[in-house]
Amino acid sequence: MRVFVLMVTLLGLIVLELSEASRGRGRNAQKRKESPIDKITPAANLNLEQMIGKWYLISVASKCRHLLETGFKVESTSITLTPPTSSEDPLSVSTLRKLNEQCWEIKQEYQSTKTKGRFLLKGKIPQKNIDIVIAETDHNTHAILYYQMQGKITMKLYGRSPKVPDPVADRFEELAAKQNLGLDVVFQFPSYSFCESVDKDHVLICCIEKCFVS
């Protein structure tokens, strides 16, 4: 009888532990789903076909240490987007920028997700993955993108030309402020001396740059 009671007691404890573990996993899963970028709604008017072509990096809002320490050294940067051929294919991103006076091309692939306008740039490990949302664009003058890695947000303002209208710049700063990214962490990028091409020895296929400055 004692053995039977002991077995029932042990079984009860095991069930209780499994139940607690299950609830714990549920809470952890819920916590993982809660992130700042989940609150950012992708642009309702987004048409990737109209996003094709060249964009100039105008501004970056970020508290990344690298930018805080070297923001005054930012180089003119442009990207060229090639839209996916299907909903499951990645958005190809080619970045041209200078590093130590040398032009480099950086090729990346933004993986599509179930949410239109949201993408994933995979890192070497899951903790280095970057979630990306195209939040605002008119396809012709500007685009505002949000990037998140490890819960930290970086924002970028792109333009079809090296300069955007003042209301667009003001809008970017307004949105950045809502992410607690004030004017002291909004970095303006040069509007001149852009790289136009590189040789094959200066092409990187990767990768996640510091502060997501691609």
Side-chain angles (χ1 to χ4, degrees):
M1 184 66 179
R2 290 180 181 178
V3 174
F4 176 75
V5 172
L6 180 60
M7 290 179 63
V8 171
T9 302
L10 289 175
L11 181 59
L13 289 173
I14 292 172
V15 171
L16 180 61
E17 288 177 359
L18 290 174
S19 177
E20 288 295 329
S22 178
R23 285 197 291 268
R25 285 194 297 271
R27 287 194 295 268
N28 290 335
Q30 185 176 9
K31 288 181 180 179
R32 285 196 296 271
K33 292 179 182 178
E34 296 174 351
S35 64
I37 204 164
D38 291 330
K39 300 176 182 179
I40 306 302
T41 303
N45 65 327
L46 180 63
N47 184 326
L48 286 181
E49 290 295 332
Q50 294 182 32
M51 293 290 290
I52 188 173
K54 193 169 187 177
W55 294 86
Y56 298 89
L57 183 57
I58 308 296
S59 303
V60 173
S62 178
K63 291 184 178 180
C64 169
R65 179 182 297 179
H66 175 72
L67 271 179
L68 293 176
E69 294 177 350
T70 65
F72 64 94
K73 294 181 180 179
V74 294
E75 297 281 2
S76 51
T77 301
S78 66
I79 65 172
T80 299
L81 302 182
T82 302
T85 55
S86 73
S87 59
E88 297 181 354
D89 291 333
L91 174 67
S92 297
V93 182
S94 171
T95 301
L96 289 177
R97 59 168 299 185
K98 288 182 180 178
L99 179 62
N100 297 328
E101 302 300 322
Q102 172 64 52
C103 286
W104 286 83
E105 179 182 10
I106 302 164
K107 294 184 177 182
Q108 298 171 314
E109 291 188 341
Y110 292 3
Q111 303 295 325
S112 300
T113 69
K114 295 180 180 179
T115 302
K116 180 182 178 182
R118 181 162 175 166
F119 302 89
L120 178 67
L121 177 58
K122 292 185 177 180
K124 292 182 178 179
I125 57 176
Q127 290 79 2
K128 295 295 184 179
N129 287 350
I130 296 178
D131 293 293
I132 303 160
V133 171
I134 302 177
E136 290 192 10
T137 185
D138 63 358
H139 304 101
N140 299 315
T141 63
H142 74 283
I144 296 176
L145 278 70
Y146 288 71
Y147 298 73
Q148 176 183 277
M149 184 170 70
Q150 297 179 346
K152 296 181 179 179
I153 291 286
T154 284
M155 297 174 60
K156 296 182 186 179
L157 170 62
Y158 288 97
R160 282 296 193 184
S161 64
K163 293 184 179 181
V164 295
D166 289 341
V168 172
D170 293 342
R171 172 64 175 165
F172 177 74
E173 293 172 359
E174 175 187 337
L175 292 174
K178 292 181 179 180
Q179 298 297 322
N180 197 27
L181 298 170
L183 293 177
D184 57 324
V185 293
V186 176
F187 302 88
Q188 306 300 326
F189 277 62
S191 58
Y192 53 86
S193 299
F194 289 92
C195 296
E196 296 298 333
S197 62
V198 300
D199 58 59
K200 63 180 181 179
D201 294 326
H202 294 90
V203 176
L204 297 175
I205 301 176
C206 58
C207 83
I208 296 173
E209 294 186 80
K210 294 179 180 179
C211 301
F212 329 143
V213 181
S214 59

